[in-house]
């Protein structure tokens, strides 16, 4: 693996498991100094920190003050934030008619408001440095209708729109903002999806397999690299062709 991110400081939210963990490990392997957040899973976070190597910070997406202190800590220890990856996310699937208000609010607050809090917190130091890259991890649920995921779809569709609007604001200041849109990726989150739904999805995936976290991480490091220097306000879909075909 090349050392593209040597001397760069990268922050990944939700880096203790799944896609976030693969992103942490890929940036670390490419020379970056990586900090990542987690919510509750101390053991998984300690493991990623050791393997990365990376620094684990316990910090909830829903706690604006904790996010501000996490950003201050990274700046104090590393002096800059070159890349922010907004990856942390949750699901709470059910039909809208049966959905408790708390499940709607939790998903929007974690996935959309959380990413917004992080972007707000890193914008000032990135503007000061006149450089930076922000990558938001959305979902194909933000592109196509998925039953039982109105809350999640609203959070991810919102994140895609947010990405474009923020790109319009920050581009002139030298900060690139893009998103990666994963399809069905093998993680704890997708393990909770019922077997029949997984099987149905698999039939529509052109590559006839689910994706691996490392395949999403590869798109993320590409968007953060100099090779993507003219890509702005866009999204890269990593779904094995699931949304590319009609049948
Ligand atoms: P996982 O459930 O495997 O991991 C979620 C990560 O987010 C964990 O590190 C978890 O920390 C962290 N997290 C959860 N809630 C919070 C919170 N309130 N504050 C801070 N961190 C939190 O998820 P995936 O790896 O599958 O998903 C990662 C991202 O990719 C999400 O945004 C998801 O929506 C998106 N995505 C996933 C797809 C898939 O098929 N897996 C498909 C499309 C998009 P902890 O370990 O402490 O719980």
């Amino acid at each position: 693996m090349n050392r593209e991110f040597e001397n760069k400081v990268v922050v990944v939210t939700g880096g203790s498991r799944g896609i976030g963990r693969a992103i942490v490990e890929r940036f670390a392997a490419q020379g970056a100094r990586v900090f990542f957040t987690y919510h509750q899973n101390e053991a998984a976070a300690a493991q990623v920190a050791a393997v990365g190597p990376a620094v684990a910070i316990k910090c909830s997406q829903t706690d604006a003050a904790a996010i501000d202190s996490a950003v201050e800590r990274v700046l104090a220890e590393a002096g800059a934030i070159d890349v922010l990856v907004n990856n942390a996310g949750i699901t709470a699937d059910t039909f809208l008619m049966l959905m408790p208000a708390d499940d709607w609010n939790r998903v929007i607050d974690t996935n959309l408001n959380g990413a917004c809090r992080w972007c707000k917190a890193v914008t000032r130091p990135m503007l000061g440095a006149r450089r930076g890259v922000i990558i938001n991890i959305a979902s194909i649920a933000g592109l196509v209708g998925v039953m039982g995921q109105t809350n999640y779809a609203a959070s991810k569709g919102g994140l895609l729109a947010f990405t474009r609007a923020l790109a319009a604001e920050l581009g002139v200041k030298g900060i690139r903002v893009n998103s990666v849109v994963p399809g069905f990726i093998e993680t704890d989150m997708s393990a909770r999806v019922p077997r029949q739904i997984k099987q149905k999805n698999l039939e529509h995936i052109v590559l006839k397999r689910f994706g691996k976290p490392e395949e999403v991480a590869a798109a993320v490091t590409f968007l953060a690299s100099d090779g993507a220097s003219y890509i702005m306000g866009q999204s890269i879909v990593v779904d094995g062709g699931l949304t590319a075909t009609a049948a």
Side-chain angles (χ1 to χ4, degrees):
M1 209 157 298
N2 67 43
R3 304 287 289 177
E4 168 105 32
F5 298 103
E6 202 88 62
N7 302 319
K8 297 275 192 236
V9 182
V10 176
V11 175
V12 181
T13 67
S16 47
R17 291 183 285 122
I19 294 171
R21 175 182 183 147
I23 295 169
V24 169
E25 291 181 358
R26 194 175 168 93
F27 272 114
Q30 290 187 246
R33 186 159 176 197
V34 187
F35 294 77
F36 71 90
T37 67
Y38 66 100
H39 187 213
Q40 286 167 325
N41 202 329
E42 308 272 352
Q47 217 179 32
V48 178
V51 172
V55 178
I57 303 175
K58 186 169 182 166
C59 172
S60 175
Q61 291 288 103
T62 60
D63 185 342
I67 291 171
D68 287 342
S69 349
V71 167
E72 277 165 30
R73 176 178 163 187
V74 177
L75 291 173
E77 286 182 27
I81 295 177
D82 297 291
V83 180
L84 167 69
V85 184
N86 276 310
N87 163 80
I90 56 167
T91 50
D93 296 352
T94 191
F95 294 116
L96 181 64
M97 177 184 158
L98 306 171
M99 189 179 290
D102 183 54
D103 280 0
W104 175 274
N105 292 333
R106 256 184 333 116
V107 169
I108 300 287
D109 203 29
T110 303
N111 300 0
L112 179 59
N113 298 349
C116 167
R117 289 180 187 107
W118 271 99
C119 287
K120 215 171 158 184
V122 301
T123 297
R124 201 179 296 279
M126 282 185 179
L127 284 175
R130 292 196 72 81
R131 67 165 200 276
V133 173
I134 295 173
I135 297 162
N136 295 321
I137 308 298
S139 163
I140 56 165
L143 298 178
V144 297
V146 179
M147 242 199 298
Q149 290 201 317
T150 50
N151 50 359
Y152 184 71
S155 74
K156 296 299 189 176
L159 193 54
L160 288 168
F162 172 80
T163 299
R164 291 187 290 267
L166 191 63
E169 283 185 23
L170 298 181
V172 72
K173 310 286 186 194
I175 301 169
R176 287 194 300 110
V177 190
N178 289 292
S179 54
V180 170
V181 183
F184 223 105
I185 310 299
E186 286 169 344
T187 67
D188 294 344
M189 180 184 276
S190 57
R192 287 194 296 274
V193 175
R195 198 143 57 89
Q196 321 84 280
I197 297 181
K198 272 191 194 161
Q199 194 50 42
K200 211 170 144 210
N201 269 288
L202 192 53
E203 286 164 19
H204 294 284
I205 296 174
V206 177
L207 294 179
K208 296 296 167 217
R209 65 172 178 83
F210 299 124
K212 297 189 186 320
E214 293 74 17
E215 294 176 304
V216 179
V220 172
T221 51
F222 166 66
L223 279 177
S225 74
D226 288 345
S229 55
Y230 201 53
I231 301 180
M232 185 64 177
Q234 299 299 322
S235 51
I236 295 183
V237 180
V238 184
D239 71 350
L242 179 57
T243 56
T245 57

